[in-house]
């Protein structure tokens, strides 16, 4: 896929008025290994790729959210639930729940986990976190029935489901949006295709740097820098609608010069986001 230079976004960016005490942190929980030949068009058989399983904490005075849950303490059992060809060697670090607890984080600040989609590598940690799951209707339906959502059904048992609707307008080329706090700082945009309710989460902290957490529109940075799609076989297996994924990927590439685009599984794409501090700042009254 080739993107022409004129396709890059040059228009104004949507307004956002993030509060001064809003902040972003990354919580890397582990990685799994995939052969590059399966990860990206043009990847070799011998080259192996590390896939990140990283949650991102959006700290906001109106309530905090995690984007995805990363690996949980039972991730080995979750991998065992997958079809044989989907299983991959993994390395588990500290779970998001363990990292939050170690930082003295008050988990009552957490509104929930906003999932980019319900595949195992994004939701494994839900059963350790035990907070509401923020999800849209299309993804709830997919999660209730699809064979690629068995882990989600297991880990979300007994958790509160917070269904949100895309009641907002088109956003940076994506057809519908949901403004979480009403200030433009966290926008969830529908980017269906990988799954029916997959989303991109646009985050604008007060630093002025913008982020697009694009889930699995592409797995690694090559998808953005080279316009490399998943290999055709994986598109057929992994995506419910490969054409819509391609359109979403094109939109993401177009935005990559005006914001940090973060494919969910690219380890280095998270580098500019700080880790949790050893003592999490408590809210000032
Ligand atoms: Zn994934």
């Amino acid at each position: 896929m080739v993107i022409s230079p004129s396709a890059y976004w040059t228009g104004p960016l949507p307004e956002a008025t993030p509060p001064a005490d809003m902040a972003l942190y990354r919580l890397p929980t582990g990685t799994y290994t995939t052969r590059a030949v399966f990860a990206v068009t043009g990847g070799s058989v011998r080259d192996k790729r590390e896939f990140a399983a990283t949650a991102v904490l959006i700290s906001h005075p109106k309530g905090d959210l995690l984007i995805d849950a990363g690996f949980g303490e039972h991730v080995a059992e979750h991998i065992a639930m997958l079809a044989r060809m989907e299983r991959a060697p993994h390395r588990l670090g500290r779970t998001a729940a363990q990292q939050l607890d170690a930082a003295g984080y008050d988990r009552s600040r957490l509104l929930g986990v906003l999932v980019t989609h319900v595949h195992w590598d994004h939701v494994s940690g839900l059963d350790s976190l035990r907070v509401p799951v923020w999800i849209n209707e299309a993804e709830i339906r997919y999660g209730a029935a699809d064979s690629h959502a068995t882990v989600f059904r297991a880990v979300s048992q007994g958790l509160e489901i917070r269904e949100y609707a895309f009641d907002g307008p088109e956003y940076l080329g994506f057809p519908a949006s949901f403004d979480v706090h009403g200030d433009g700082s966290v926008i969830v945009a529908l980017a269906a295709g990988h799954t029916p309710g997959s989303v991109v989460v646009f985050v604008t902290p007060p630093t002025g740097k913008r982020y697009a957490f694009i889930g699995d529109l592409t797995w690694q940075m090559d998808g953005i820098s080279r316009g490399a799609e998943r290999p055709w076989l994986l598109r057929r297996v992994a995506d419910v609608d490969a054409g819509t994924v391609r359109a979403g990927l094109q939109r993401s590439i177009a935005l990559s010069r005006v914001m940090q685009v973060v494919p969910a599984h690219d380890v280095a794409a998270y580098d500019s986001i700080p880790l949790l501090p050893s003592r999490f700042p408590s809210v000032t009254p």
Side-chain angles (χ1 to χ4, degrees):
M1 189 169 78
V2 179
I3 185 157
S4 77
S6 63
Y8 286 97
W9 188 274
T10 52
L13 293 169
E15 276 214 19
T17 50
D21 49 354
M22 176 189 175
L24 270 186
Y25 304 95
R26 72 183 143 108
L27 290 74
T29 66
T31 55
Y32 60 103
T33 311
T34 306
R35 289 186 189 280
V37 68
F38 295 130
V40 64
T41 299
S44 93
V45 187
R46 274 182 225 98
D47 180 18
K48 291 202 176 131
R49 290 295 178 90
E50 288 298 305
F51 270 40
T54 297
V56 171
L57 178 69
I58 310 169
S59 177
H60 189 290
K62 287 189 176 172
D64 297 355
L65 279 171
L66 284 168
I67 304 174
D68 287 338
F71 288 164
E73 56 193 303
H74 304 295
V75 65
E77 291 160 49
H78 300 155
I79 291 174
M81 293 164 73
L82 303 174
R84 189 171 293 272
M85 76 161 281
E86 293 174 322
R87 293 178 206 157
H90 77 285
R91 188 191 57 76
L92 173 62
R94 287 192 307 160
T95 65
Q98 289 166 340
Q99 291 177 52
L100 291 171
D101 290 350
Y105 178 86
D106 172 7
R107 277 208 241 170
S108 71
R109 296 174 57 161
L110 212 47
L111 300 173
V113 177
L114 174 56
V115 292
T116 59
H117 61 292
V118 297
H119 286 160
W120 72 276
D121 45 339
H122 301 258
V123 302
S124 164
L126 284 178
D127 59 355
S128 316
L129 284 159
R130 311 298 311 166
V131 295
V133 184
W134 284 47
I135 188 170
N136 58 72
E137 191 204 352
E139 200 67 3
I140 290 175
R141 260 190 279 128
Y142 175 84
D146 196 272
S147 64
H148 293 99
T150 47
V151 171
F152 175 69
R153 289 193 284 281
V155 295
S156 62
Q157 263 183 39
L159 298 186
E160 182 191 335
I161 298 294
R162 278 286 312 269
E163 181 182 338
Y164 62 83
F166 296 104
D167 54 3
E170 175 270 347
Y171 190 90
L172 292 170
F174 291 90
S177 65
F178 164 57
D179 184 341
V180 173
H181 297 298
D183 58 10
S185 65
V186 184
I187 302 285
V188 189
L190 177 63
H194 183 54
T195 65
S198 281
V199 298
V200 172
V201 185
F202 291 96
V203 182
T204 307
T207 56
K209 188 172 164 99
R210 288 177 184 247
Y211 294 86
F213 296 95
I214 64 167
D216 286 8
L217 276 178
T218 182
W219 286 324
Q220 303 240 304
M221 237 21 215
D222 332 36
I224 299 300
S225 54
R226 296 199 286 116
E229 291 174 81
R230 274 186 268 283
W232 72 269
L233 176 65
L234 271 287
R235 293 205 292 274
R236 292 192 52 175
V237 175
D239 298 330
V240 296
D241 181 349
T244 317
V245 171
R246 184 176 305 127
L249 178 56
Q250 255 157 351
R251 288 191 191 102
S252 305
I253 294 169
L255 294 169
S256 62
R257 291 183 181 173
V258 290
M259 60 183 68
Q260 172 77 48
V261 173
V262 184
H265 299 307
D266 193 287
V267 176
Y270 295 91
D271 279 354
S272 69
I273 304 168
L275 294 162
L276 279 180
S278 54
R279 290 306 299 170
F280 195 84
S282 56
V283 189
T284 40

